[in-house]
Every structure is written in structure tokens, then in C-alpha cells.
Amino acid sequence: MFDTLQDRLSSVFKGLRSKGRLTEADIDSTMREIRIALLEADVNLGVVKEFVAAVKARALDAELSKALNPSQQIIKFVNEELVEILGGEARPVRFAKNPPTVIMLAGLQGAGKTTLAGKLAAWLKAERHTPLLVAADLQRPNAVNQLQVVGERAGVHVFAPEPGNGVGDPVAVARDAVTHAQTKLYDVVIVDTAGRLGIDQELMQQAADIKAAVGPHETLFVVDAMIGQDAVNTAKAFDEGVGVDGVVLTKLDGDARGGAALSIARVLGRPIMFASSGEGLADFDMFHPDRMASRILGMGDVLTLIEQAEKTFDAEQSRAAAEKLAGKNKFGLQDFLSQMQQLRKMGPMSKILGMLPGAGQFKDAINEIDEREIDRIEAIIQSMTPAERDDVSILNGSRRARIAKGSGMQVSDVNKLVTRFVEARKMMESMAGGGMPGMGGMPGMPPMPGARRPQQKKQQKKQQRKGPKGVRTQVAQRQAAQKQAGQKQAPETMDDFQLPPDLQKMFNDNKPKF
């Protein structure tokens, strides 16, 4: 969603890198380019004016840090102001002291409230809560059935006493759901309310009646991030008619300009609490303004990547794989397959690589990653026997032909996979030993546990005792000749150094006289 804005800002900052210092004219030109980039991204005009004024004031008043060049200083200001516009810091859910905590979802039809209710329930379940979904959208056809399907996927119970499709009282359903949650010991109640194609009095009144009946601890406005400036206007209308505590952005993986995400928190005065970026239940997380600003500026999102890896990767398997890498030729294709399968649980490879710092420079290559290639690799490895996965050296021609036939691939595909795996394993083993391939151990980098330690002291003693080939004999002959001629041994310092007598006399005779 922020690709266009990211590209525009990157080109602006690139033009500053060659400048040793910034003049006021340079700052004005830079601010003009940033203003155009934000407006083209559909950011609210008032927010753009406020943002540009804040960055410009800081750029004019600040003393450029000696450790940063001007472009880095401007990026620092832009990043900090982006964080402020996006809300400053992440705002967690306010849980009730006496459960259940009631969360009410409101928004327009098509914003993704029902799907988001399931995502929120799955997220709360992963956080060790026991959520209950409530089907209070009784107007939209099959809305109740859809919530039941989503709840089943999330492994969460759904309270749906009414069939919907225009039948039933949503206020009574919401009220009864809270009582049911208290009886059955659910600690969070998520109420999915009805939406409309546009703002109308009936929608506002129904949402206000549900809120009055259940007294939610959090009223979240679910907004489609792809609808641009209309998202801000709709959010303001809901806040005035019902009252909003926070905002949830959906469809952040779309190709719209994304101005709503940069505008809604500042214009509405309410924090963005959650963000949804896909169809899967796992494509949902808390909204972190600092991380979003970092992504927009092309600096990646390493913290989110680490958090996802901690949730996905099995610590025991990862430790076993690291220990195998520390040994020689113990890391097999089965270990590689296990690590790759865990990596895929984090999401598409393009999404994972996009979180790395500097990934914007390789955006086109990342977008061209074919996920089906990983499926082909899995098919080849799974067509091997356990012995073949553990030791690829036993893969002769007949075995490779059998594997290719079993996986539906060509023998050349099997050969490529084996060759690349062996090369990658050599590199990983070298890095696991505390160094880079072909460079030995890196200074100050101790080897990993179990890795072979470099025999530096032993090698030094060996060289001192034996010396390089042919050098020891030459040194001994020269020292013997010097001793026979009565010459001094080789000087230890420059002060002890003397030229041979003949050379010294020639130098004295030809010394210029001034």
C-alpha cells in the first residue's frame, strides 16, 4: 500500500546525500517534494500541512549532528513526525477488572468486520484469553453463518441464537451474550454489529442502542484502508454518533495509496489499535506506529519479524539445527525442509523479505518471488528416503532419476537442488564456526558452541619452529656469513641500522652541498 510513497520519499532523500550541508533553499525544496508525495498518497491536507511545518521547523533550528549527514538528519525528523501522526505509541486493549471485557465492532458494510472479528478472536486466544464471538449482525444475508464459519476456523465459540437475514433483535442478542459469557466464564466478548453501505440514522441508532445495552470497554471502528479520504469522514461520523475508542485498519495489503492510515489517527484523535493485512487469520496484529513509519521509510520492520519468528519457530528444532551446522556434514535436507516449513508459517516469502532493512532496493526482485518454487523443493525432498535426506553424497544417477520421477520434476532440477544445498551448507558451517567463508574467524567473534576452534597458537609455534619452505635455510646462511665477516647482526630498531661501508662512502661523496 505504501510502495508509491516509499519510492517518492526515497528519491527525495537520495538527492540530499551528496550535500555536505543544507541551506534554507535546500530545506524548502525538500519539504515541497515531501508535501507532494504525501498529497499524492491521499493524506489529509490538514495533516500534510502540520507534518511539513513540523519537519521544516526542526530542520531549520537543529544543529546537524556530526555523526549524521544531512539526509540522515532529515530522515530522522521525518521518521519521528510520522510516528507522532500515526499515534505515537501502540495502545493495547483495556481489559476489564471484572470479566468479561466487551469489545464492540462498528463500521460500514464491506469493511471486513466479520472476518476481523475472527482474527481478533484468534489473536486473543493466542494471548491466553477465552473469547466469545457474538452474531449481532442480523440484517446482512448470511452474516450469522459467515461468523460461525470464521469462528470455527479460529477455534472460538460463537453465540448466535438468531438466524439473522432480517430476523431477530440485535440489542437483545448482544445483552444475552454478555450474560452467557458470565455464566460460561468467557473473559472477552466480541460483538459483530451490522453495517450499511453508507452513513444513515438507522445504523447509528442501532449501534448506539447496542452500546448502551452492553457498555463495551472498547468500541472499535473497523475501516477499509483502501477507501482513502472517505475513511476519515466515516470515522468522524461514527465517533460523533456512537463514540469510538480506537480504529482497526483492514486491507493494508491492498494497492491503494494508503493515505487513510496516515490521516485517521491525527484527524480523529483516536489511536489505531490493530491492523489487518490479508485473508488469513494470522494476518492480524497490534498496530505499532514506529514500525509502520519505519516501513514507509524503507527501513524495514525487524521487531515484527523477530516476534513472528518467535511465535513460529520451534526452539528445540532450531537449537538442534544449529548444533548440526556446528559439526561437519551433519545438517541434512530433512533439517533444511523442517526449517523451511517453519519459515513458511510466517507468511509469504515476499512479505518476510520485505520486513528486512533496505528491502525497498530489491522490491521488484522480491515481488517476483515464485512461492511455487518452494513447493517444488518440498516435493523433491519428500521424494527422498530418510537416508538420502541425511546424506546427499549417496545420491547416484539412478537414485536421482527415481526422485525426479516421484516428485514430477526433471533430473536437472534434483541436481540443482543438491548442488545449491551443498554450497549453502558449506557457507552456513563456516559462519557457524565464527567466520565468513574463505576468511577464517572474524576478530572478536567467538565460535559457536561445538564449533572447531582455530589452532592459531599452534600454527604460530609451528611456523616459528619450522618456518616457511626455503626461508629457514636462507636466514641461517645469511647469519653465518655475517658472523664470519665480523658484521653485526640484523638491527632491532632503525637507530641501530647502518649502511654497508662502500655504500655509505658513495652516499657521502655524492651528498649535495648547500
Side-chain angles (χ1 to χ4, degrees):
M1 176 168 287
F2 298 106
D3 283 354
T4 303
L5 178 59
Q6 181 181 341
D7 293 341
R8 287 296 303 269
L9 292 178
S10 297
S11 63
V12 172
F13 300 142
K14 186 177 180 180
L16 297 175
R17 291 174 186 166
S18 60
K19 297 182 180 294
R21 59 183 296 272
L22 291 181
T23 64
E24 187 171 347
D26 293 330
I27 294 174
D28 289 338
S29 175
T30 301
M31 293 303 103
R32 183 167 54 254
E33 292 295 328
I34 292 177
R35 182 187 299 109
I36 293 173
L38 292 174
L39 290 174
E40 288 183 349
D42 206 19
V43 180
N44 180 271
L45 179 60
V47 174
V48 173
K49 289 181 177 179
E50 184 180 348
F51 175 83
V52 171
V55 175
K56 183 176 180 180
R58 295 185 62 181
L60 291 174
D61 296 341
E63 293 184 11
L64 294 182
S65 172
K66 295 181 180 178
L68 300 174
N69 60 37
S71 65
Q72 291 172 328
Q73 192 78 0
I74 294 295
I75 292 173
K76 176 176 178 291
F77 296 152
V78 171
N79 178 66
E80 292 174 352
E81 293 300 326
L82 273 177
V83 172
E84 287 299 316
I85 284 180
L86 291 169
E89 57 184 13
R91 213 271 269 166
V93 176
R94 296 176 299 203
F95 292 100
K97 294 182 179 179
N98 297 317
T101 300
V102 181
I103 300 175
M104 174 179 164
L105 303 180
L108 294 180
Q109 195 175 72
K113 289 191 308 300
T114 302
T115 302
L116 184 110
K119 291 183 178 183
L120 178 58
W123 182 82
L124 288 167
K125 184 179 179 182
E127 296 291 323
R128 301 181 181 277
H129 293 281
T130 53
L132 174 69
L133 290 171
V134 181
D137 182 358
L138 305 180
Q139 277 74 35
R140 182 168 62 87
N142 294 322
V144 174
N145 187 31
Q146 181 187 356
L147 187 65
Q148 290 173 330
V149 172
V150 171
E152 184 179 355
R153 288 174 54 202
V156 176
H157 292 161
V158 179
F159 183 79
E162 298 291 348
N165 297 324
V167 178
D169 181 6
V171 179
V173 170
R175 187 186 301 111
D176 294 342
V178 176
T179 304
H180 177 76
Q182 291 172 339
T183 304
K184 299 298 183 180
L185 302 180
Y186 293 98
D187 68 342
V188 181
V189 176
I190 303 172
V191 183
D192 179 28
T193 63
R196 292 289 188 277
L197 296 177
I199 300 297
D200 58 45
Q201 189 60 37
E202 182 183 356
L203 166 66
M204 291 299 179
Q205 189 59 48
Q206 185 183 102
D209 292 344
I210 293 176
K211 184 173 183 178
V214 300
H217 302 87
E218 296 281 11
T219 302
L220 303 183
F221 176 68
V222 182
V223 59
D224 183 349
M226 297 181 66
I227 64 176
Q229 288 300 305
D230 196 41
V232 178
N233 300 329
T234 306
K236 291 172 67 175
F238 266 88
D239 188 39
E240 294 169 359
V242 181
V244 175
D245 297 313
V247 178
V248 182
L249 292 174
T250 62
K251 305 179 186 179
L252 277 177
D253 57 331
D255 56 0
R257 291 176 287 182
L262 298 179
S263 308
I264 198 165
R266 178 57 62 92
V267 174
L268 191 62
R270 301 291 186 272
I272 302 173
M273 294 179 58
F274 296 99
S276 173
S277 58
E279 292 296 329
L281 291 176
D283 299 327
F284 174 87
D285 209 342
M286 284 186 63
F287 184 84
H288 297 271
D290 55 340
R291 302 182 189 181
M292 181 57 71
S294 180
R295 290 191 193 187
I296 293 172
L297 295 178
M299 296 186 291
D301 188 358
V302 177
L303 289 177
T304 299
L305 188 62
I306 293 173
E307 288 178 358
Q308 291 184 0
E310 288 176 344
K311 293 178 183 178
T312 304
F313 277 78
D314 183 87
E316 193 62 34
Q317 288 187 9
S318 299
R319 187 180 301 108
E323 291 175 354
K324 287 186 177 182
L325 281 172
K328 191 174 182 180
N329 295 332
K330 293 182 179 180
F331 186 84
L333 279 171
Q334 181 59 50
D335 304 298
F336 171 71
L337 178 63
S338 299
Q339 295 294 305
M340 187 171 63
Q341 289 173 339
Q342 292 188 68
L343 186 64
R344 295 197 74 180
K345 292 179 182 178
M346 294 174 59
M349 290 298 297
S350 56
K351 178 181 176 181
I352 297 171
L353 295 175
M355 294 184 185
L356 297 174
Q361 304 175 34
F362 313 102
K363 189 183 305 179
D364 294 337
I366 291 175
N367 292 334
E368 291 178 0
I369 292 177
D370 187 2
E371 296 290 332
R372 294 175 298 179
E373 183 65 26
I374 302 177
D375 296 330
R376 299 184 188 103
I377 293 174
E378 287 188 5
I380 293 174
I381 297 176
Q382 289 172 345
S383 297
M384 298 179 182
T385 65
E388 291 169 342
R389 299 180 193 180
D390 291 339
D391 185 7
V392 295
S393 63
I394 67 173
L395 292 177
N396 54 25
S398 61
R399 289 176 182 265
R400 299 189 184 207
R402 188 203 78 241
I403 294 168
K405 186 176 181 180
S407 60
M409 306 296 291
Q410 301 294 324
V411 175
S412 59
D413 298 321
V414 179
N415 294 338
K416 289 178 183 177
L417 173 61
V418 173
T419 302
R420 291 176 181 175
F421 170 73
V422 172
E423 292 175 352
R425 182 174 62 184
K426 289 179 181 178
M427 181 183 69
M428 290 188 291
E429 287 174 351
S430 178
M431 295 178 69
M436 294 296 289
M439 297 178 63
M442 294 290 286
M445 293 288 289
M448 292 182 62
R452 298 181 178 180
R453 295 183 177 274
Q455 306 293 328
Q456 293 179 349
K457 293 184 178 179
K458 186 176 179 180
Q459 291 175 358
Q460 289 175 356
K461 290 181 179 180
K462 185 177 180 181
Q463 288 179 355
Q464 290 174 357
R465 182 178 66 252
K466 187 175 181 180
K469 185 177 180 180
V471 173
R472 186 166 59 96
T473 303
Q474 294 175 8
V475 172
Q477 292 175 350
R478 184 169 61 252
Q479 290 177 345
Q482 290 175 347
K483 187 174 182 181
Q484 290 178 0
Q487 297 178 359
K488 295 182 180 180
Q489 296 295 325
E492 296 181 359
T493 66
M494 288 300 295
D495 294 335
D496 299 330
F497 181 79
Q498 292 183 1
L499 291 171
D502 295 339
L503 186 59
Q504 183 67 49
K505 182 176 182 299
M506 182 178 65
F507 177 78
N508 293 334
D509 292 343
N510 292 279
K511 184 184 296 184
K513 299 178 182 179
F514 296 104

